[in-house]
Amino acid sequence: MGESGAIAPGGLLPAEDDGVEIVAKFFRALGDPTRLRLLEFLLGDEHTVTECVEHVGLSQGRVSSHLACLADCGYVQVRRVGRNAFYRLADPRVGNLVLLARSLAADNVSALAHCLRIDAPVSGTRARS
């Protein structure tokens, strides 16, 4: 919320433009399918990078990059034991948000699938411009 922490009249978003940008950035970090898969994978327990790689089926470098993004944004925490890094959700509210988003998306799957204003592909389909 900006330095003053002011809430916009009639809403919960910060009144300052920079506060709204931070909230938008919060959602952009969740806007990548791989990062969402990783967060869902981490809902129940912590996992190593190797387990995360096996789960999402991408290279270790790409998975590590996504995990680093999630850690930098405060969504996950890392615990190092020797050469292993164990990732877990940093806050249970992140898990709640992922589950809520999954539920809302399921309830709105038709509208989301036909939305032409969001340029991200949905379920392997190409977005139309």
Side-chain angles (χ1 to χ4, degrees), residues 11 78 107:
V78 61
D107 290 348

Side-chain angles (χ1 to χ4, degrees), residues 41-89:
F41 186 55
L42 297 172
L43 282 173
D45 201 4
E46 68 179 10
H47 292 281
T48 64
V49 174
T50 301
E51 291 169 329
C52 291
V53 166
E54 291 170 2
H55 180 73
V56 297
L58 297 175
S59 70
Q60 183 172 339
R62 288 186 66 194
V63 171
S64 291
S65 177
H66 283 295
L67 288 168
C69 173
L70 291 169
D72 288 348
C73 290
Y75 298 107
V76 300
Q77 292 177 333
V78 61
R79 179 177 63 88
R80 299 196 184 280
V81 178
R83 294 179 57 168
N84 290 316
F86 295 85
Y87 286 85
R88 66 181 179 277
L89 294 181

Side-chain angles (χ1 to χ4, degrees), residues 115-116 118-122 125-129:
C115 177
L116 300 177
I118 304 296
D119 60 357
V122 177
T125 61
R126 293 187 53 192
R128 292 177 249 173
S129 48

